[in-house]
Amino acid sequence: MTFYDRLIRETARERDAFLAIPLVRQALASGAPKSLYVAFLTQAYHHVKNTFPLLALAASRTGDARYQDALVDYMEEERGHEKWILDDIRIMGGDADAVRDGVREGMAGPACRIMVGFSYYAIEHVSPYALLGSVHVLEGMSVLLADRLADTLKRSFGAQAEAGFSYLRSHGSLDQDHVAFFRTLVDGFDDPAAQQIIIDHARLFYRLYGDIFRELGAGLELSHAA
């Protein structure tokens, strides 16, 4: 069994728990209101804008030249993706300027802030390899869900064009290459301690990323009850 296969096996319970989140299941099955899609994009912006700085931080903290080279490659790919999200928010009628500035309805929610804050903490105080736990979760879920979610949302909005779905579409296809790259990278780690750090943090990030969707879903339930 390769390490990547082991990672998939040992995080299966957390992955299933993520996929069972009511909002995730509902959005994939029947879509969502535009306002909720904009709320999702808002939270995506606030964690995606930290991708490049987190990769750079991990690269500066590791002494593993192979890992550092991989992080530099990731940085080149990931730079500026948050701008695509702002474009989608504008197309969907959201306030992209408020999101960019983090004010009013454009603020990052508590779950997003906790996930991002923990990402920096884990790299600084646990290990630069901890970042790979979040990469596994975020890119793996993009490959699995992004295109399906875009298709379902388009139907629920009655949209004819792809405008407003550039972030989802790009990450559904782009992240397939990233996951293949990730698999090759992690299969090259022989150190049991590094492997365990990646597994432990993937488990954590399924929970932390899932909390963003739980928070968005709770807000939707409250708005329906109002």
Side-chain angles (χ1 to χ4, degrees), residues 3 64 66-67 129 132 182 184-192 194-195 198:
F3 173 59
D64 181 339
R66 176 176 168 274
Y67 180 35
Y129 295 120
L132 293 176
F182 175 87
T184 300
L185 173 63
V186 299
D187 279 346
F189 292 131
D190 297 323
D191 180 7
Q195 292 177 345
I198 296 167

Side-chain angles (χ1 to χ4, degrees), residues 18 33 45 61 95 105 159 165 168 174 177 192:
F18 178 92
Y45 173 81
R61 293 294 186 270
D95 189 341
E105 69 275 11
F165 301 100
L168 288 177
L174 178 65
D177 293 334

Side-chain angles (χ1 to χ4, degrees), residues 29-128:
S30 57
K34 276 190 181 181
S35 59
L36 184 58
Y37 178 47
V38 170
F40 159 74
L41 290 173
T42 297
Q43 301 312 305
Y45 173 81
H46 286 295
H47 70 76
V48 170
K49 74 178 182 181
N50 284 280
T51 302
F52 185 90
L54 286 165
L55 291 166
L57 179 62
S60 73
R61 293 294 186 270
T62 185
D64 181 339
R66 176 176 168 274
Y67 180 35
Q68 191 174 65
D69 288 345
L71 291 169
V72 171
D73 287 342
Y74 270 122
M75 289 163 64
E76 191 66 28
E77 288 281 351
E78 293 292 332
R79 190 168 196 170
H81 285 192
E82 68 274 11
K83 295 175 184 176
W84 303 347
I85 303 175
L86 292 178
D87 290 341
D88 287 342
I89 290 171
R90 288 189 186 95
I91 290 168
M92 289 294 158
D95 189 341
D97 292 338
V99 175
R100 181 197 62 216
D101 297 337
V103 297
R104 303 187 303 279
E105 69 275 11
M107 295 176 63
C112 182
R113 294 184 221 174
I114 289 168
M115 185 180 80
V116 171
F118 180 77
S119 299
Y120 284 101
Y121 172 87
I123 293 168
E124 289 272 22
H125 298 286
V126 180
S127 168

Side-chain angles (χ1 to χ4, degrees), residues 2 21 43 56 134 167:
T2 67
I21 295 170
Q43 301 312 305
S134 68
Y167 169 67

